[in-house]
Amino acid sequence: MSITLTPKQLRCALEFMNPDGPEATDQQDSDYTIEWMPERTAADGEPMAAGYYVYATEYPGEGVYGPL
């Protein structure tokens, strides 16, 4: 499987995963998942566009960031 992202999308994902930058090494030990998700409605009723989303692999129910 492969995922194609633009540099802008990759930066957005990295900012979500490691918001405090390379000095915050404690933020760099978690696994994250980038997944294509179809257009849908979020649990709070907000529409979500189709696209790549990122979320903490261990806590998928905690929310997703995107679309990238």
Side-chain angles (χ1 to χ4, degrees), residues 38-52:
E39 183 177 334
R40 65 202 182 285
T41 302
D44 64 1
E46 290 294 316
M48 296 177 72
Y52 284 107

Side-chain angles (χ1 to χ4, degrees), residues 8 20 24 36 40 42 54 57 59 61-62 64-66:
K8 181 180 177 182
D20 297 324
W36 176 267
R40 65 202 182 285
V54 61
T57 304
Y59 304 104
E62 295 296 315
V64 299
Y65 176 78

Side-chain angles (χ1 to χ4, degrees), residues 2-62:
S2 65
I3 296 174
T4 302
L5 299 173
T6 66
K8 181 180 177 182
Q9 290 172 311
L10 188 54
R11 271 192 297 278
C12 286
L14 288 172
E15 287 174 8
F16 172 77
M17 294 183 278
N18 187 212
D20 297 324
E23 296 79 24
T25 56
D26 60 316
Q27 295 175 347
Q28 298 175 21
D29 294 330
S30 299
D31 291 330
Y32 287 85
T33 300
I34 296 174
E35 180 179 345
W36 176 267
M37 296 183 177
E39 183 177 334
R40 65 202 182 285
T41 302
D44 64 1
E46 290 294 316
M48 296 177 72
Y52 284 107
Y53 287 79
V54 61
Y55 58 88
T57 304
E58 192 172 340
Y59 304 104
E62 295 296 315

